[in-house]
């Protein structure tokens, strides 16, 4: 199991700190685990699963990205 610190979660998701905590408070993002003192971290597999769920929602709503050009 790998624990991600806040900067790692921000890099992985592209979300700002305030947005992450807003999603945590709303129950739509995995809750961090407490590592001691004021340190917290997120379980990498939970963050990865959250991202996969966003991808599935996107694909179900808009179809896959095949054929798109950027």
């Amino acid at each position: 199991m790998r624990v991600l610190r806040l900067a790692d979660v921000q890099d992985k998701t592209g979300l700002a700190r305030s947005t992450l905590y807003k999603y945590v408070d709303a129950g739509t993002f995995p809750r961090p685990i407490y590592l001691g003192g004021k340190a917290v971290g997120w379980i990498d597999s939970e963050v990865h699963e959250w991202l996969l769920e966003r991808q599935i929602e996107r694909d179900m709503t808009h179809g896959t990205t095949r054929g798109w050009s950027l």
Side-chain angles (χ1 to χ4, degrees):
M1 174 184 339
R2 182 166 181 236
V3 176
L4 302 175
R5 297 301 301 270
L6 178 61
D8 299 322
V9 176
Q10 289 176 292
D11 287 343
K12 189 167 187 159
T13 63
L15 298 173
R17 178 187 184 280
S18 59
T19 303
L20 285 169
Y21 280 105
K22 180 176 80 172
Y23 288 176
V24 167
D25 288 343
T28 58
F29 192 79
R31 296 191 68 75
I33 59 171
Y34 293 93
L35 303 172
K38 294 183 179 182
V40 297
W42 283 261
I43 305 298
D44 185 37
S45 60
E46 293 177 356
V47 174
H48 183 77
E49 182 66 29
W50 182 85
L51 287 168
L52 287 176
E53 289 169 4
R54 302 293 77 73
Q55 179 184 6
I56 290 167
E57 287 175 11
R58 179 206 60 200
D59 292 348
M60 290 180 68
T61 302
H62 303 290
T64 63
T65 59
R66 289 184 192 170
W68 283 25
S69 61
L70 298 175

